[in-house]
Amino acid sequence: MIELTAAQVAAATGGRLSADPEVRVGGPVVVDSRRVAPGSLFVALPGEHVDGHDFAAGAVAAGATLVLAARELDVPCVVVDDVQTALGELARHVLATLRERGDLRVVAVTGSVGKTTTKDLLGQLLRPEGETVVPRGSFNNEIGLPLTVLEADESTRFLVLEMGASGVGHLTYLTRIAPPDVSVVLVVGSAHLGEFGGIEAVARAKSELVTGLAPGGVAVLNADDLRVAAMADLAPGEVVTFGTIPAADVRAEDLGIDRTGRASFTLRVRPGAAGDARPSEETRARATLGLVGEHHVTNALAAATAALRLGVALPDVAARLSDARALSPHRMQVTERPDGITVIDDSYNANPDSMRAALKALAVMAGRDRRSVAVLGEMLELGEDSRVAHDDLGRLVVRLNVKLLVVVGEGAGGIHDGATQEGSWGDETRFVPDVEAASALLRDELREGDVVLVKASNGSGLWRLGDELAAAGGDASGGDRA
């Protein structure tokens, strides 16, 4: 973060100063006292199980010079009415200051699936051009986004932000903190339908990234998704599209998938799509992804289009896409075990769209000569559509000819029912009550040559099984979630 005095922190947050006004904050801004470094600002957030205020003294002892708090403490602090809101205001102030001082560009990504993959790809495309800040993991909410913004300083050229939402108005709040110069919208899908209340509400929420653009900003929209493409009408400025259809400004042609599940394609860029300073004729470049799954083509196209708009040359975009690798765990992470078993760990999250994509990748990787095994848990936050969505998924497993289905937990029971109704029988589909039972079954069942997909929403705990299966040996590689 840029260096600020305690007085400047108080002014930015509208807080009351209870410290020497000249105390300086120059270290990282943290919400976890274990991450304190000399000069840190410790943000004392209240939590479900712990209160950050209880750790403030320890944070100062560890080197924090100031605490952002909701009540008076016996340490140097700025007292505010709402700590989370104040954190956002501080980030907004710091970003505005950095924009005044230099040529910082902000690119933000949203979508029902693919946000984390795309922001990781963007980081790998932009870093060779200059200092780039990218969120850790999925820092995409009212706390994670301000913390990411506050990692930027005078040397930062690109600030990549992932913006998530679980309701209408959430992205408006985030774009007020960090108005993007480039807004990327990936997919309007069925994730978190229970929270949004319907697919049209999801579309309205995601469109807030477009309406929240900074003056002169560019909307980068998925032409293959009709709901996303329709957001062009809401854009306050220029729109550039990406996709596989001929109308897309940046599109993938001659698409192929190899036996490892990795896609290759030709990037074709329409004149003017990369900006006014770019060639007036169509340009092309070939890329081969290191990420597993055809669905990553959408993420790659989105990242490529944004990078082109930010000044990266097409040959460099294609080369860096080909070199890019997965950076976040439990997202289409592939481990080749010494015993000949391939594990695809995609257990970070799940919704109907990403489940379908992962199952198709499993089918491609197994092919006709290896046994495909799908270990699936519950997809959370689907609301009243949950039972039907799980049932549909079970039927898809059968249609893809997955050889063994293991369904884990009561919440995922609809997958087992759907597979049974579609025609799976006997030992082709198994239901187990929990992760421990699934582990025991797989220890007895798996054999050399199997390709195993582990996928569920993070809250189901199936990631523990993903870790266990991968820990049997081998180096992780591959991609991220859909």
Side-chain angles (χ1 to χ4, degrees):
M1 188 181 79
I2 60 174
E3 187 173 85
L4 297 173
T5 65
Q8 288 172 321
V9 173
T13 59
R16 184 175 71 258
L17 186 59
S18 183
D20 179 349
E22 295 305 314
V23 164
R24 294 188 174 271
V25 176
V29 179
V30 298
V31 297
D32 185 339
S33 60
R34 293 169 295 184
R35 293 183 175 272
V36 165
S40 282
L41 171 66
F42 177 65
V43 181
L45 286 169
E48 290 184 20
H49 306 293
V50 295
D51 186 341
H53 294 79
D54 297 335
F55 298 89
V60 171
T65 53
L66 191 66
V67 175
L68 192 62
R71 62 175 184 266
E72 290 284 352
L73 299 169
D74 292 328
V75 295
C77 60
V78 171
V79 182
V80 295
D81 292 334
D82 184 286
V83 176
Q84 180 177 300
T85 300
L87 175 64
E89 288 302 302
L90 180 61
R92 188 166 73 93
H93 168 77
V94 167
L95 179 56
T97 301
L98 287 172
R99 277 179 153 153
E100 290 174 359
R101 293 180 182 177
D103 186 27
L104 173 65
R105 306 295 300 282
V106 178
V107 54
V109 181
T110 196
S112 299
V113 293
K115 295 186 294 296
T116 301
T117 301
T118 304
K119 65 89 177 173
D120 284 345
L121 287 173
L122 269 166
Q124 294 174 79
L125 295 181
L126 294 174
R127 279 196 179 99
E129 305 295 317
E131 289 295 324
T132 302
V133 171
V134 182
R136 299 189 302 274
S138 293
F139 266 33
N140 62 19
N141 62 12
E142 295 86 347
I143 297 171
L145 181 131
L147 289 174
T148 301
V149 171
L150 290 168
E151 290 182 22
D153 59 24
E154 289 88 347
S155 69
T156 304
R157 183 174 175 190
F158 301 108
L159 175 60
V160 178
L161 298 173
E162 178 181 337
M163 294 195 182
S166 55
V168 173
H170 291 185
L171 293 188
T172 295
Y173 175 79
L174 296 180
T175 57
R176 180 180 175 275
I177 295 171
D181 298 296
V182 179
S183 287
V184 180
V185 185
L186 299 168
V187 176
V188 172
S190 48
H192 310 294
L193 279 181
E195 295 179 340
F196 281 98
I199 193 71
E200 296 307 325
V202 176
R204 287 197 301 276
K206 301 304 181 187
S207 71
E208 293 169 12
L209 193 69
V210 176
T211 56
L213 274 163
V218 178
V220 173
L221 304 178
N222 184 0
D224 293 341
D225 186 310
L226 294 178
R227 290 186 175 89
V228 175
M231 296 176 192
D233 294 337
L234 303 175
E238 190 178 357
V239 174
V240 182
T241 60
F242 64 90
T244 59
I245 64 172
D249 296 318
V250 178
R251 60 193 185 276
E253 295 186 335
D254 305 321
L255 176 63
I257 308 294
D258 66 18
R259 278 297 306 273
T260 67
R262 292 168 170 85
S264 59
F265 53 89
T266 298
L267 268 171
R268 186 169 179 176
V269 182
R270 200 182 294 278
D276 293 339
R278 295 298 165 144
S280 58
E281 298 179 354
E282 276 197 337
T283 52
R284 295 178 177 83
R286 191 74 181 168
T288 299
L289 301 183
L291 309 181
V292 174
E294 183 180 357
H295 53 291
H296 285 310
V297 173
T298 296
N299 305 325
L301 286 171
T305 306
L308 288 167
R309 294 300 310 196
L310 291 167
V312 184
L314 177 59
D316 292 330
V317 167
R320 292 170 196 173
L321 278 180
S322 298
D323 290 338
R325 294 295 180 265
L327 301 180
S328 300
H330 300 296
R331 295 172 174 90
M332 292 302 286
Q333 196 165 20
V334 178
T335 300
E336 300 289 351
R337 295 186 355 181
D339 57 4
I341 295 171
T342 300
V343 178
I344 311 168
D345 179 5
D346 199 30
S347 57
Y348 180 81
N349 217 337
N351 56 65
D353 299 313
S354 65
M355 277 281 202
R356 286 190 290 269
L359 285 167
K360 290 176 182 177
L362 169 65
V364 169
M365 292 180 68
R368 296 185 178 183
D369 55 340
R370 303 182 69 183
R371 186 172 70 149
S372 53
V373 180
V375 186
L376 306 181
E378 184 177 5
M379 299 177 287
L380 300 172
E381 300 171 350
L382 295 182
E384 62 184 17
D385 296 322
S386 178
R387 188 70 185 182
V388 171
H390 285 87
D391 183 279
D392 288 346
L393 194 65
R395 295 174 187 272
L396 176 62
V397 168
V398 177
R399 291 195 291 272
L400 290 173
N401 199 28
V402 173
K403 301 303 183 183
L404 173 63
L405 169 64
V406 179
V407 178
V408 185
E410 290 291 341
I415 300 175
H416 179 70
D417 295 342
T420 302
Q421 291 296 317
E422 189 70 14
S424 187
W425 53 275
D427 289 339
E428 294 173 344
T429 178
R430 316 275 190 90
F431 173 81
V432 293
D434 51 38
V435 171
E436 289 72 22
S439 175
L441 186 154
L442 292 170
R443 280 197 298 270
D444 293 336
E445 183 67 36
L446 292 182
R447 57 179 183 258
E448 182 179 357
D450 286 351
V451 183
V452 187
L453 170 69
V454 181
K455 187 161 180 65
S457 288
N458 193 53
S460 73
L462 211 58
W463 57 268
R464 300 196 306 272
L465 181 60
D467 283 343
E468 178 184 321
L469 292 174
D475 294 326
S477 62
D480 197 332
R481 73 181 175 91

